[in-house]
């Protein structure tokens, strides 16, 4: 979806600010679903591609966590013929994994921090010796909310659709350190004072984002989480190979890098060509950068995220 196409489709006054928006966000295009695509088709494709890289894991997955703030029953269900169904995890277990012995959970209210929240939950679940591996899939169709006439902010300009999936496998921490990859640490917090800064519009078809106040709250949550993980793991910025945050507004990402004093060449951001897909933006970007050979086996990555709530958190891991 090119910028001109967005301005044509938007049903609220935003085109008059087009030049400013393009300049401040550096947006060139974003990916939006076609008529036959939705969160379910996105999630299914992401899981199938993840399993293609390691087919043997399919039989080991005992837990599925599906994250999607934009799968809302009766408004935007994953299956049009069953509008009361909002559970992507059940569809994945049934139609992709073809299993009847998995736990399925759906996280709906963590918004842009959904991937990090899912990592935290999955880490806890994998401490159960009965769970061998866990699948996390994040799928967001934010384009559903981008052009509604009830929008009162320009946030919709950067929104895109995407899905990403990762598999975490239970292992001994000593083994993780020995082979040089795995989840090392995570943190998170909720700042409910910012509850009204970012939310769904009252009609469920638009987004409310309180401009600079929301941006500052998101940046603060990510900076705080990132610093906590660096401190807790006795790491300096130079010890980490990549900062891979949510692929949000460029000004937020630049502010994050400035506050952390992170070299810009070590920040992975491609939101100008993908759009911002909320919880899906980190795993989708990770897959892209791995596929392009930018991220390599053994790289140490810090991924901070924050969004509505204000939900914030970060994950530290070696690929």
């Amino acid at each position: 979806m090119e910028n001109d196409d967005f301005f044509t489709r938007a049903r609220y006054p935003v085109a008059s600010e087009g030049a400013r928006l393009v300049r401040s966000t550096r947006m060139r295009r974003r990916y939006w679903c076609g008529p036959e695509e939705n969160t379910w088709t996105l999630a299914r494709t992401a899981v199938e591609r993840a399993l293609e890289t390691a087919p043997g894991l399919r039989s080991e997955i005992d837990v599925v966590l599906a994250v999607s703030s934009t799968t809302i029953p009766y408004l935007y269900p994953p299956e049009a013929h069953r509008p009361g169904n909002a559970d992507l995890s059940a569809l994945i277990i049934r139609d992709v994994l073809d299993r009847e012995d998995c736990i399925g959970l759906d996280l709906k209210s963590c918004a842009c921090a959904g991937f990090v929240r899912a990592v935290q939950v999955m880490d806890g679940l994998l401490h159960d010796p009965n769970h061998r591996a866990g699948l996390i899939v994040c799928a967001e169709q934010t384009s559903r909310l981008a052009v509604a006439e009830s929008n009162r902010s320009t946030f919709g300009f950067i929104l895109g659709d995407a899905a990403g999936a990762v598999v975490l496998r239970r292992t001994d921490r000593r083994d993780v350190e020995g082979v040089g990859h795995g989840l090392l640490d995570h943190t998170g917090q909720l700042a409910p004072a910012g509850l009204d800064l970012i939310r769904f519009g009252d009609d469920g078809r638009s987004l409310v984002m309180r401009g600079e106040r929301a941006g500052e709250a998101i940046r603060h949550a990510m900076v705080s989480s990132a610093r906590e993980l660096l401190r807790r793991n006795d790491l300096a910025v130079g010890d980490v190979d990549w900062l891979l945050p949510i692929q949000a507004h460029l000004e937020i990402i630049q502010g994050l890098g400035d506050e952390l004093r992170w070299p810009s060449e070590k920040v992975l951001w491609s939101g100008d060509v993908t759009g911002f897909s909320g919880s899906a933006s980190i795993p989708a970007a990770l897959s892209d950068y791995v596929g392009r050979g930018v991220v390599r086996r053994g790289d140490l990555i810090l991924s901070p995220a924050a969004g509505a709530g204000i939900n914030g958190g970060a994950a530290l891991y070696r690929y």
Side-chain angles (χ1 to χ4, degrees):
M1 173 69 60
E2 303 292 333
N3 289 339
D4 289 343
D5 294 328
F6 173 86
F7 293 129
T8 299
R9 293 194 185 195
R11 301 194 300 275
Y12 61 102
V14 66
S16 61
E17 301 184 63
R20 181 189 65 80
L21 283 174
V22 173
R23 186 170 57 252
S24 65
T25 64
R26 296 187 192 171
M27 286 293 297
R28 289 182 282 167
R29 66 186 70 91
R30 72 283 292 144
Y31 289 110
W32 281 9
C33 286
E36 303 302 319
E37 298 173 311
N38 54 30
T39 50
W40 164 228
T41 62
L42 291 172
R44 182 180 62 203
T45 301
V47 173
E48 289 172 344
R49 289 180 179 176
L51 293 177
E52 284 174 2
T53 64
L57 286 176
R58 179 186 296 266
S59 61
E60 294 187 27
I61 293 171
D62 296 314
V63 184
V64 175
L65 279 180
V67 182
S68 181
S69 296
T70 54
T71 302
I72 307 169
Y74 297 104
L75 269 180
Y76 304 121
E79 295 180 300
H81 62 285
R82 288 194 294 183
N85 175 38
D87 295 331
L88 286 169
S89 61
L91 297 176
I92 292 166
I93 292 170
R94 184 191 69 186
D95 296 343
V96 182
L97 299 181
D98 191 24
R99 297 273 298 280
E100 295 183 353
D101 55 350
C102 289
I103 295 175
L105 299 173
D106 283 64
L107 301 181
K108 298 292 186 187
S109 301
C110 300
C112 306
F115 174 70
V116 171
R117 283 288 182 272
V119 167
Q120 294 176 292
V121 173
M122 187 64 79
D123 186 41
L125 290 169
L126 290 181
H127 276 78
D128 183 334
N130 296 308
H131 300 154
R132 295 164 294 175
L135 169 68
I136 296 173
V137 57
C138 302
E140 302 288 7
Q141 191 177 351
T142 61
S143 61
R144 291 165 161 168
L145 308 164
V147 298
E149 61 185 355
S150 51
N151 275 298
R152 293 294 179 268
S153 77
T154 56
F155 183 53
F157 180 64
I158 69 170
L159 296 180
D161 302 336
V166 300
V167 177
L168 300 182
R169 191 169 184 269
R170 187 173 182 271
T171 186
D172 188 282
R173 188 174 179 85
R174 288 171 298 180
D175 294 338
V176 170
E177 293 173 344
V179 300
H181 68 277
L183 176 64
L184 303 179
D185 201 358
H186 51 73
T187 188
Q189 68 280 323
L190 175 67
L195 189 62
D196 290 329
L197 295 180
I198 311 170
R199 60 177 177 82
F200 284 110
D202 293 339
D203 60 354
R205 300 181 183 277
S206 58
L207 288 171
V208 175
M209 183 165 180
R210 306 292 184 187
E212 291 185 4
R213 290 176 58 204
E216 289 173 3
I218 291 171
R219 185 177 66 251
H220 174 76
M222 289 199 291
V223 169
S224 175
S225 297
R227 284 176 173 166
E228 172 65 15
L229 289 188
L230 292 173
R231 181 196 63 78
R232 213 155 67 187
N233 292 275
D234 195 25
L235 293 170
V237 167
D239 297 323
V240 182
D241 294 294
W242 303 107
L243 182 70
L244 174 53
I246 54 170
Q247 305 290 283
H249 194 295
L250 176 63
E251 292 179 351
I252 293 176
I253 303 304
Q254 288 179 328
L256 170 69
D258 289 345
E259 286 200 52
L260 294 175
R261 297 185 178 180
W262 209 283
S264 59
E265 66 273 15
K266 291 294 184 179
V267 178
L268 299 178
W269 181 80
S270 53
D272 58 331
V273 293
T274 63
F276 176 41
S277 55
S279 72
S281 67
I282 290 177
L286 176 62
S287 175
D288 178 55
Y289 284 113
V290 169
R292 289 195 276 142
V294 177
V295 172
R296 301 183 178 184
R297 184 64 71 183
D299 282 357
L300 183 60
I301 305 170
L302 178 60
S303 288
I310 296 287
N311 274 288
L316 178 70
Y317 51 98
R318 284 196 185 277
Y319 173 68

